[in-house]
PDB file of all heavy atoms in Angstrom:
ATOM      1  N   ALA A  84    -144.070 171.831 -61.453  1.00  0.00           N
ATOM      2  CA  ALA A  84    -144.400 170.448 -61.093  1.00  0.00           C
ATOM      3  C   ALA A  84    -143.775 170.079 -59.753  1.00  0.00           C
ATOM      4  O   ALA A  84    -144.428 169.465 -58.897  1.00  0.00           O
ATOM      5  CB  ALA A  84    -143.929 169.493 -62.189  1.00  0.00           C
ATOM      6  N   GLY A  85    -142.504 170.450 -59.548  1.00  0.00           N
ATOM      7  CA  GLY A  85    -141.841 170.158 -58.286  1.00  0.00           C
ATOM      8  C   GLY A  85    -142.504 170.847 -57.110  1.00  0.00           C
ATOM      9  O   GLY A  85    -142.703 170.248 -56.038  1.00  0.00           O
ATOM     10  N   THR A  86    -142.872 172.111 -57.282  1.00  0.00           N
ATOM     11  CA  THR A  86    -143.570 172.852 -56.223  1.00  0.00           C
ATOM     12  C   THR A  86    -144.893 172.186 -55.875  1.00  0.00           C
ATOM     13  O   THR A  86    -145.261 172.067 -54.691  1.00  0.00           O
ATOM     14  CB  THR A  86    -143.816 174.301 -56.682  1.00  0.00           C
ATOM     15  OG1 THR A  86    -142.576 174.916 -57.050  1.00  0.00           O
ATOM     16  CG2 THR A  86    -144.455 175.116 -55.574  1.00  0.00           C
ATOM     17  N   SER A  87    -145.602 171.734 -56.894  1.00  0.00           N
ATOM     18  CA  SER A  87    -146.899 171.095 -56.671  1.00  0.00           C
ATOM     19  C   SER A  87    -146.746 169.772 -55.936  1.00  0.00           C
ATOM     20  O   SER A  87    -147.499 169.484 -54.995  1.00  0.00           O
ATOM     21  CB  SER A  87    -147.587 170.858 -58.028  1.00  0.00           C
ATOM     22  OG  SER A  87    -147.714 172.059 -58.753  1.00  0.00           O
ATOM     23  N   PHE A  88    -145.784 168.951 -56.356  1.00  0.00           N
ATOM     24  CA  PHE A  88    -145.563 167.659 -55.695  1.00  0.00           C
ATOM     25  C   PHE A  88    -145.146 167.857 -54.236  1.00  0.00           C
ATOM     26  O   PHE A  88    -145.593 167.129 -53.338  1.00  0.00           O
ATOM     27  CB  PHE A  88    -144.503 166.851 -56.432  1.00  0.00           C
ATOM     28  CG  PHE A  88    -144.992 166.223 -57.708  1.00  0.00           C
ATOM     29  CD1 PHE A  88    -144.209 166.242 -58.847  1.00  0.00           C
ATOM     30  CD2 PHE A  88    -146.228 165.607 -57.766  1.00  0.00           C
ATOM     31  CE1 PHE A  88    -144.649 165.660 -60.020  1.00  0.00           C
ATOM     32  CE2 PHE A  88    -146.690 165.030 -58.942  1.00  0.00           C
ATOM     33  CZ  PHE A  88    -145.892 165.053 -60.076  1.00  0.00           C
ATOM     34  N   GLN A  89    -144.293 168.826 -53.973  1.00  0.00           N
ATOM     35  CA  GLN A  89    -143.837 169.066 -52.599  1.00  0.00           C
ATOM     36  C   GLN A  89    -144.994 169.490 -51.705  1.00  0.00           C
ATOM     37  O   GLN A  89    -145.065 169.086 -50.539  1.00  0.00           O
ATOM     38  CB  GLN A  89    -142.738 170.127 -52.603  1.00  0.00           C
ATOM     39  CG  GLN A  89    -141.418 169.639 -53.176  1.00  0.00           C
ATOM     40  CD  GLN A  89    -140.388 170.739 -53.311  1.00  0.00           C
ATOM     41  OE1 GLN A  89    -140.562 171.834 -52.774  1.00  0.00           O
ATOM     42  NE2 GLN A  89    -139.306 170.468 -54.025  1.00  0.00           N
ATOM     43  N   ALA A  90    -145.901 170.292 -52.241  1.00  0.00           N
ATOM     44  CA  ALA A  90    -147.048 170.736 -51.438  1.00  0.00           C
ATOM     45  C   ALA A  90    -148.043 169.605 -51.231  1.00  0.00           C
ATOM     46  O   ALA A  90    -148.523 169.381 -50.117  1.00  0.00           O
ATOM     47  CB  ALA A  90    -147.729 171.922 -52.124  1.00  0.00           C
ATOM     48  N   LEU A  91    -148.353 168.883 -52.300  1.00  0.00           N
ATOM     49  CA  LEU A  91    -149.373 167.846 -52.208  1.00  0.00           C
ATOM     50  C   LEU A  91    -148.920 166.672 -51.342  1.00  0.00           C
ATOM     51  O   LEU A  91    -149.704 166.102 -50.579  1.00  0.00           O
ATOM     52  CB  LEU A  91    -149.721 167.348 -53.610  1.00  0.00           C
ATOM     53  CG  LEU A  91    -151.038 166.594 -53.756  1.00  0.00           C
ATOM     54  CD1 LEU A  91    -152.211 167.479 -53.364  1.00  0.00           C
ATOM     55  CD2 LEU A  91    -151.206 166.115 -55.194  1.00  0.00           C
ATOM     56  N   LEU A  92    -147.629 166.318 -51.445  1.00  0.00           N
ATOM     57  CA  LEU A  92    -147.102 165.186 -50.673  1.00  0.00           C
ATOM     58  C   LEU A  92    -146.518 165.625 -49.336  1.00  0.00           C
ATOM     59  O   LEU A  92    -146.084 164.774 -48.547  1.00  0.00           O
ATOM     60  CB  LEU A  92    -146.039 164.456 -51.492  1.00  0.00           C
ATOM     61  CG  LEU A  92    -146.520 163.891 -52.833  1.00  0.00           C
ATOM     62  CD1 LEU A  92    -145.351 163.314 -53.619  1.00  0.00           C
ATOM     63  CD2 LEU A  92    -147.583 162.830 -52.613  1.00  0.00           C
ATOM     64  N   ILE A 145    -146.384 158.429 -61.038  1.00  0.00           N
ATOM     65  CA  ILE A 145    -146.701 159.131 -59.800  1.00  0.00           C
ATOM     66  C   ILE A 145    -147.844 158.446 -59.068  1.00  0.00           C
ATOM     67  O   ILE A 145    -147.893 158.434 -57.829  1.00  0.00           O
ATOM     68  CB  ILE A 145    -147.036 160.630 -60.064  1.00  0.00           C
ATOM     69  CG1 ILE A 145    -147.101 161.397 -58.741  1.00  0.00           C
ATOM     70  CG2 ILE A 145    -148.316 160.768 -60.851  1.00  0.00           C
ATOM     71  CD1 ILE A 145    -145.845 161.351 -57.924  1.00  0.00           C
ATOM     72  N   ALA A 259    -149.470 168.246 -62.860  1.00  0.00           N
ATOM     73  CA  ALA A 259    -148.022 168.179 -62.677  1.00  0.00           C
ATOM     74  C   ALA A 259    -147.412 167.078 -63.524  1.00  0.00           C
ATOM     75  O   ALA A 259    -146.290 167.239 -64.057  1.00  0.00           O
ATOM     76  CB  ALA A 259    -147.697 167.955 -61.199  1.00  0.00           C
TER      77      ALA A 259
END
Side-chain angles (χ1 to χ4, degrees):
T86 304
S87 304
F88 284 137
Q89 288 174 12
L91 198 61
L92 300 174
I145 191 58

